[in-house]
Structures are given as C-alpha cells and as structure tokens.
Short mmCIF file of all heavy atoms in Angstrom, two decimals:
data_model
loop_
_atom_site.label_atom_id
_atom_site.label_comp_id
_atom_site.label_asym_id
_atom_site.label_seq_id
_atom_site.Cartn_x
_atom_site.Cartn_y
_atom_site.Cartn_z
N LEU A 1 -27.56 2.15 4.38
CA LEU A 1 -28.26 2.09 3.10
C LEU A 1 -27.84 3.21 2.14
O LEU A 1 -28.17 3.17 0.96
CB LEU A 1 -29.76 2.16 3.32
CG LEU A 1 -30.38 0.94 4.03
CD1 LEU A 1 -31.87 1.14 4.25
CD2 LEU A 1 -30.12 -0.36 3.25
N ASP A 2 -27.09 4.21 2.65
CA ASP A 2 -26.54 5.21 1.74
C ASP A 2 -25.66 4.59 0.67
O ASP A 2 -25.46 5.21 -0.38
CB ASP A 2 -25.73 6.25 2.54
CG ASP A 2 -26.59 7.13 3.39
OD1 ASP A 2 -27.82 7.25 3.13
OD2 ASP A 2 -26.07 7.74 4.36
N ALA A 3 -25.11 3.43 0.96
CA ALA A 3 -24.27 2.75 -0.02
C ALA A 3 -25.00 2.42 -1.31
O ALA A 3 -24.39 2.16 -2.34
CB ALA A 3 -23.68 1.45 0.57
N ARG A 4 -26.31 2.40 -1.25
CA ARG A 4 -27.11 2.07 -2.46
C ARG A 4 -27.45 3.30 -3.31
O ARG A 4 -28.05 3.18 -4.35
CB ARG A 4 -28.40 1.39 -2.03
CG ARG A 4 -28.17 0.03 -1.39
CD ARG A 4 -29.49 -0.63 -0.96
NE ARG A 4 -29.25 -1.93 -0.36
CZ ARG A 4 -30.20 -2.67 0.22
NH1 ARG A 4 -31.43 -2.20 0.31
NH2 ARG A 4 -29.91 -3.84 0.73
N ARG A 5 -27.05 4.47 -2.85
CA ARG A 5 -27.36 5.67 -3.60
C ARG A 5 -26.58 5.74 -4.90
O ARG A 5 -25.38 5.45 -4.95
CB ARG A 5 -27.05 6.93 -2.76
CG ARG A 5 -27.92 7.14 -1.56
CD ARG A 5 -29.38 7.35 -1.90
NE ARG A 5 -29.56 8.37 -2.94
CZ ARG A 5 -30.76 8.72 -3.42
NH1 ARG A 5 -31.86 8.10 -3.00
NH2 ARG A 5 -30.86 9.66 -4.34
N HIS A 6 -27.28 6.14 -5.96
CA HIS A 6 -26.61 6.22 -7.26
C HIS A 6 -25.53 7.28 -7.31
O HIS A 6 -24.52 7.14 -8.01
CB HIS A 6 -27.65 6.44 -8.38
CG HIS A 6 -28.38 7.76 -8.29
ND1 HIS A 6 -29.45 8.00 -7.45
CD2 HIS A 6 -28.14 8.94 -8.93
CE1 HIS A 6 -29.83 9.23 -7.60
NE2 HIS A 6 -29.07 9.82 -8.49
N GLU A 7 -25.71 8.37 -6.53
CA GLU A 7 -24.69 9.41 -6.48
C GLU A 7 -23.39 8.86 -5.91
O GLU A 7 -22.30 9.28 -6.29
CB GLU A 7 -25.16 10.59 -5.64
CG GLU A 7 -26.42 11.26 -6.16
CD GLU A 7 -27.65 10.82 -5.36
OE1 GLU A 7 -27.73 9.60 -5.07
OE2 GLU A 7 -28.47 11.68 -5.02
N VAL A 8 -23.50 7.94 -4.94
CA VAL A 8 -22.32 7.33 -4.31
C VAL A 8 -21.58 6.49 -5.36
O VAL A 8 -20.34 6.55 -5.45
CB VAL A 8 -22.70 6.47 -3.09
CG1 VAL A 8 -21.52 5.66 -2.60
CG2 VAL A 8 -23.26 7.37 -1.98
N MET A 9 -22.32 5.70 -6.14
CA MET A 9 -21.66 4.89 -7.18
C MET A 9 -20.93 5.76 -8.18
O MET A 9 -19.80 5.48 -8.63
CB MET A 9 -22.72 4.05 -7.91
CG MET A 9 -23.28 2.92 -7.10
SD MET A 9 -22.09 1.58 -6.80
CE MET A 9 -21.43 2.09 -5.21
N LYS A 10 -21.55 6.87 -8.55
CA LYS A 10 -20.96 7.80 -9.50
C LYS A 10 -19.66 8.39 -8.95
O LYS A 10 -18.60 8.36 -9.61
CB LYS A 10 -21.96 8.88 -9.81
CG LYS A 10 -21.53 9.92 -10.85
CD LYS A 10 -22.67 10.86 -11.13
CE LYS A 10 -22.30 11.94 -12.15
NZ LYS A 10 -23.44 12.85 -12.45
N ALA A 11 -19.71 8.87 -7.71
CA ALA A 11 -18.54 9.51 -7.11
C ALA A 11 -17.41 8.49 -6.90
O ALA A 11 -16.26 8.79 -7.11
CB ALA A 11 -18.94 10.15 -5.79
N VAL A 12 -17.75 7.29 -6.48
CA VAL A 12 -16.77 6.24 -6.20
C VAL A 12 -16.02 5.86 -7.44
O VAL A 12 -14.76 5.84 -7.45
CB VAL A 12 -17.47 5.03 -5.57
CG1 VAL A 12 -16.60 3.77 -5.70
CG2 VAL A 12 -17.76 5.28 -4.08
N MET A 13 -16.72 5.52 -8.52
CA MET A 13 -16.03 5.04 -9.73
C MET A 13 -15.24 6.15 -10.38
O MET A 13 -14.14 5.91 -10.92
CB MET A 13 -17.06 4.45 -10.72
CG MET A 13 -17.63 3.13 -10.26
SD MET A 13 -18.67 2.30 -11.50
CE MET A 13 -20.07 3.39 -11.54
N MET A 14 -15.76 7.37 -10.36
CA MET A 14 -15.03 8.48 -10.96
C MET A 14 -13.78 8.83 -10.14
O MET A 14 -12.72 9.13 -10.70
CB MET A 14 -15.92 9.70 -11.06
CG MET A 14 -17.03 9.56 -12.08
SD MET A 14 -18.11 11.00 -12.23
CE MET A 14 -17.03 12.19 -13.00
N ASN A 15 -13.86 8.72 -8.83
CA ASN A 15 -12.71 9.09 -8.00
C ASN A 15 -11.61 8.04 -8.05
O ASN A 15 -10.44 8.34 -7.89
CB ASN A 15 -13.14 9.33 -6.56
CG ASN A 15 -12.17 10.24 -5.82
OD1 ASN A 15 -11.99 11.38 -6.22
ND2 ASN A 15 -11.53 9.74 -4.77
N ALA A 16 -12.02 6.77 -8.28
CA ALA A 16 -11.04 5.68 -8.30
C ALA A 16 -10.38 5.48 -9.67
O ALA A 16 -9.55 4.61 -9.81
CB ALA A 16 -11.73 4.37 -7.88
N ALA A 17 -10.78 6.29 -10.65
CA ALA A 17 -10.30 6.11 -12.00
C ALA A 17 -8.76 6.29 -12.11
O ALA A 17 -8.17 7.03 -11.36
CB ALA A 17 -10.99 7.10 -12.97
N ASP A 18 -8.19 5.52 -13.06
CA ASP A 18 -6.76 5.69 -13.35
C ASP A 18 -6.49 6.93 -14.16
O ASP A 18 -7.18 7.20 -15.16
CB ASP A 18 -6.27 4.50 -14.19
CG ASP A 18 -5.89 3.28 -13.33
OD1 ASP A 18 -5.47 3.48 -12.18
OD2 ASP A 18 -5.98 2.15 -13.82
N LYS A 19 -5.47 7.71 -13.78
CA LYS A 19 -5.03 8.90 -14.53
C LYS A 19 -3.56 8.75 -14.94
O LYS A 19 -3.24 8.75 -16.14
CB LYS A 19 -5.22 10.17 -13.70
CG LYS A 19 -6.62 10.59 -13.43
CD LYS A 19 -6.59 11.92 -12.67
CE LYS A 19 -8.00 12.46 -12.39
NZ LYS A 19 -8.76 11.57 -11.47
N ILE A 20 -2.71 8.67 -13.93
CA ILE A 20 -1.27 8.66 -14.15
C ILE A 20 -0.68 7.44 -13.43
O ILE A 20 -0.90 7.25 -12.21
CB ILE A 20 -0.59 9.95 -13.60
CG1 ILE A 20 -1.22 11.18 -14.23
CG2 ILE A 20 0.92 9.89 -13.85
CD1 ILE A 20 -0.97 11.34 -15.73
N GLN A 21 0.08 6.63 -14.13
CA GLN A 21 0.63 5.41 -13.53
C GLN A 21 1.57 5.78 -12.37
O GLN A 21 2.47 6.61 -12.48
CB GLN A 21 1.39 4.60 -14.57
CG GLN A 21 1.89 3.23 -14.01
CD GLN A 21 2.41 2.33 -15.11
OE1 GLN A 21 2.54 2.75 -16.25
NE2 GLN A 21 2.75 1.13 -14.76
N ASP A 22 1.33 5.12 -11.21
CA ASP A 22 2.17 5.34 -10.06
C ASP A 22 3.54 4.73 -10.24
O ASP A 22 3.69 3.64 -10.83
CB ASP A 22 1.46 4.72 -8.82
CG ASP A 22 2.07 5.14 -7.53
OD1 ASP A 22 3.04 4.50 -7.09
OD2 ASP A 22 1.59 6.12 -6.94
N ARG A 23 4.55 5.41 -9.73
CA ARG A 23 5.95 4.94 -9.89
C ARG A 23 6.30 3.92 -8.83
O ARG A 23 7.44 3.44 -8.78
CB ARG A 23 6.90 6.11 -9.81
CG ARG A 23 6.75 7.13 -10.95
CD ARG A 23 7.83 8.22 -10.86
NE ARG A 23 7.66 9.03 -9.66
CZ ARG A 23 6.91 10.12 -9.59
NH1 ARG A 23 6.27 10.54 -10.68
NH2 ARG A 23 6.79 10.80 -8.47
N GLY A 24 5.37 3.58 -7.96
CA GLY A 24 5.66 2.63 -6.90
C GLY A 24 5.86 3.30 -5.55
O GLY A 24 6.02 2.61 -4.54
N ASP A 25 5.80 4.61 -5.51
CA ASP A 25 5.98 5.35 -4.26
C ASP A 25 4.66 5.79 -3.63
O ASP A 25 4.64 6.41 -2.56
CB ASP A 25 6.91 6.56 -4.44
CG ASP A 25 6.45 7.48 -5.56
OD1 ASP A 25 5.30 7.36 -6.02
OD2 ASP A 25 7.26 8.33 -5.99
N GLY A 26 3.56 5.52 -4.32
CA GLY A 26 2.25 5.85 -3.81
C GLY A 26 1.84 7.27 -3.99
O GLY A 26 0.70 7.67 -3.60
N LEU A 27 2.70 8.11 -4.59
CA LEU A 27 2.38 9.53 -4.73
C LEU A 27 1.26 9.75 -5.73
O LEU A 27 0.56 10.78 -5.68
CB LEU A 27 3.62 10.32 -5.14
CG LEU A 27 4.79 10.30 -4.14
CD1 LEU A 27 5.94 11.17 -4.62
CD2 LEU A 27 4.32 10.72 -2.74
N MET A 28 1.06 8.81 -6.64
CA MET A 28 -0.09 8.87 -7.59
C MET A 28 -1.17 7.88 -7.19
O MET A 28 -1.90 7.36 -8.03
CB MET A 28 0.42 8.58 -9.03
CG MET A 28 1.24 9.70 -9.61
SD MET A 28 0.26 11.22 -9.83
CE MET A 28 1.53 12.31 -10.47
N LEU A 29 -1.24 7.59 -5.88
CA LEU A 29 -2.33 6.82 -5.31
C LEU A 29 -2.42 5.40 -5.84
O LEU A 29 -3.51 4.82 -5.87
CB LEU A 29 -3.67 7.57 -5.49
CG LEU A 29 -3.69 9.04 -5.05
CD1 LEU A 29 -5.03 9.67 -5.33
CD2 LEU A 29 -3.32 9.18 -3.58
N GLY A 30 -1.30 4.85 -6.30
CA GLY A 30 -1.28 3.48 -6.76
C GLY A 30 -1.96 3.22 -8.09
O GLY A 30 -2.27 2.10 -8.44
#
C-alpha cells in the first residue's frame, strides 16, 4: 500500500523525467 503514497508519486515522476537525450548507449538512462 506504500505505492499509494503521494510522496512516492512525486519522487517517481521527478526521477523519471527527461533531461538529456540518450545516445543509444544507455549512459543517460534511455
């Protein structure tokens, strides 16, 4: 049920955000 915590949603979406386009080698996490 921790999956329903609003802090988890905040951390997940912020951490998954696009910053720098990956060159295809995975070094920029895709």
Side-chain angles (χ1 to χ4, degrees):
L1 293 179
D2 289 341
R4 294 179 179 173
R5 292 298 309 179
H6 64 279
E7 301 100 317
V8 171
M9 289 291 93
K10 182 176 180 178
V12 160
M13 290 188 290
M14 292 180 70
N15 204 60
D18 275 331
K19 290 181 178 67
I20 304 294
Q21 185 171 6
D22 192 273
R23 296 184 296 269
D25 54 14
L27 299 183
M28 289 294 178
L29 309 178

